């Protein structure tokens, strides 16, 4: 087993998860269980449902995955898009993945890792 694989948490029950990023880590482990046909549009819908449930239950968790939210804004810059896409991050990643011959879910998690790394650097810079 590689060091990276050993450092990733194993499957957990939803009630054990603290935020949307821990949920996405679970999706990464078993995408076929969570997301029909590996569709990022289905994942996007699931994440919107997650955010709505947080609001209904007065959970103040920040949510990066709204269309036009932090992940979308980062993605538009990362992919050098002249204008934000009204279609949303899921459609644009699926299009890019098809052009690159890469599975969309694989591309999403690669981009998510980059986004998280940059967000981590931005937060640590702001905290100084």
């Amino acid at each position: 087993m590689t060091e990276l694989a050993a450092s990733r948490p194993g499957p957990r029950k939803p009630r054990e998860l603290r935020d949307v990023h821990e949920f996405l880590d679970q999706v990464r482990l078993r995408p076929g269980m969570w997301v029909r046909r590996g569709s990022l549009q289905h994942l996007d819908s699931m994440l919107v449902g997650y955010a709505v449930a947080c609001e209904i239950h007065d959970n103040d968790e920040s949510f990066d995955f709204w269309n036009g939210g932090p992940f979308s804004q980062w993605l538009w810059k990362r992919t050098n898009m002249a204008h934000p896409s009204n279609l949303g991050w899921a459609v644009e990643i699926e299009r890019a993945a098809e052009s690159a011959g890469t599975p969309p879910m694989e591309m999403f998690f690669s981009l998510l890792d980059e986004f998280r790394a940059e967000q981590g650097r931005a937060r640590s810079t702001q905290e100084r």
Side-chain angles (χ1 to χ4, degrees), residues 23-117:
F23 172 71
L24 286 169
D25 290 339
Q26 293 301 300
V27 172
R28 181 193 308 248
L29 288 173
R30 298 180 291 182
M33 183 182 103
W34 289 101
V35 184
R36 287 187 314 215
R37 297 183 309 276
S39 166
L40 294 182
Q41 293 178 60
H42 288 298
L43 177 62
D44 181 34
S45 294
M46 187 182 308
L47 292 174
V48 168
Y50 177 99
V52 169
C54 284
E55 286 190 30
I56 288 170
H57 295 285
D58 291 325
N59 180 340
D60 290 334
E61 179 181 335
S62 66
F63 186 75
D64 295 332
F65 301 98
W66 292 112
N67 190 22
F71 181 71
S72 293
Q73 291 174 18
W74 173 86
L75 183 65
W76 309 151
K77 289 177 189 171
R78 164 70 172 68
T79 57
N80 297 317
M81 290 183 71
H83 304 285
S85 171
N86 289 330
L87 298 175
W89 60 263
V91 170
E92 295 303 339
I93 293 172
E94 286 180 343
R95 286 179 173 179
E98 184 177 354
S99 294
T102 303
M105 194 68 67
E106 183 180 312
M107 182 175 278
F108 168 74
F109 281 113
S110 177
L111 290 164
L112 180 63
D113 289 342
E114 285 183 47
F115 172 73
R116 287 174 168 174

